[in-house]
Amino acid sequence: MLDELARIGRDPATNGYVRDAWSAADLELREWFRGEAGRRGLDVREDRNGNLWAWWGDPSRRPGVVTGSHLDSVRQGGAFDGPLGVVSAFAALDVLKNRNFMPGRPLGIACFSDEEGARFGVPCMGSRLLTGVLDPERALGLTDDEGDTLAEVMARAGREPRAVGRDDETLAMVGTFVELHVEQGRGLVELGSPVGVASAIWPHGRWRFDFLGEANHAGTTRLVDRDDPMLPFARMVLAARETAAAHGVVATVGKVRVSPNNANAVPGSVSAWLDVRGAREQDVRAVVGALAQGVAVSEESWTPVVDFDAALRDRVAKVAGDAPVLPTGAGHDAGILASAGVPSAMVFVRNPTGVSHSPQEHAEPGDCEAGVVALANVLEDLCH
Ligand code: GLV
Ligand code: MN
Ligand code: MN
């Protein structure tokens, strides 16, 4: 399955993946999901927010056990972040069928829409809309780099934008959610284990900083006459690193928009996106507060700390072969569901270099298989 997915949305120049929500690649990935589900005789539904659900058993009669992840990617991302969880879900179901296991509860495979927020800036859009933590009006008005709104993009893909928003009917079908994901650090390498289980997700957010100045000629404008927004932007980037280190958190400026972006002009404006994460919310907030002096800042997303359900976490870790338990600084749909009251857990698969959100992201086939077996065991246990 990973080999089949390998060609979709890959940039041949870099081998990185570009799978923006609702792009041609994303639509192809959704078709692939429907094909895999159909081949297994599962009933596929797309909810009002663009999330896909493949069901073995009828979830309207009894809340099910759901596994899965997402198929979209960051720009120039790797092959595993998201797809490994969806592929492992189908593979785990195959393992259960080979065991002649008949689930006592409906078993679902989910593919969440727009987990990365690469196109519209807000991560976990599908699960945030589903659970109602994201206002539908705000979501529909978000724009991509072309200036197209989510509403326009969804309509173009044949979806009904007016239908997005909290979906209690779909949520009621999800009794328990377990997301398998490639690890995005080297925790499991250090622990010497192919699989692990999540304890918590760090609180994290994204903020847009808008530095305004005056566009002018690079050759004829004296230094004293300049109002160059690149300078406070540069100071902010350096301060982000220092302030984050002082507070024991991580801060990243990974996206910048310079206008008009001429080599021979002082820019008129610079917009920069700051991502800050850490174990404690007050430290994350302190960093953003310190950097936000004298500049226009807007909070584009905020995700509070997620402490996964302790009983479920321990049960999953035990069934996954006494897997080690560890926290993560990466955001996931499982975290959004957990915050909305759905008992949720995560299984991580070892990443030998820890590199993620990059074409270098990797997991060894043997570890992926260990993940599938662990997931199958967990689903079997939860579906009894
Ligand atoms: C999602 O991968 C995130 O943590 O940004
Ligand atoms: Mn990711
Ligand atoms: Mn992911």
Side-chain angles (χ1 to χ4, degrees), residues 70 74 81 115-117 123-124 181 184 201 204 206 275 277 328-332 356-357:
H70 62 97
V74 292
D81 177 356
E115 193 272 351
E116 298 288 2
C124 297
H181 205 280
Q184 296 170 288
I201 295 178
H204 58 282
R206 296 182 190 181
D275 177 308
R277 313 181 188 211
T328 179
H332 300 285
S356 186
H357 284 183

Side-chain angles (χ1 to χ4, degrees), residues 34 74 95 175 196 200 215 237 306 319:
R34 287 180 179 277
V74 292
V95 169
V237 174
V306 177
V319 178

Side-chain angles (χ1 to χ4, degrees), residues 69-70 72-73 80-83 115-116 179-182 184 330-333 346 356-357 361:
S69 190
H70 62 97
D72 67 303
S73 76
F80 297 87
D81 177 356
E115 193 272 351
E116 298 288 2
E179 178 169 1
L180 179 145
H181 205 280
V182 66
Q184 296 170 288
H332 300 285
D333 295 303
M346 291 194 74
S356 186
H357 284 183
E361 183 180 82

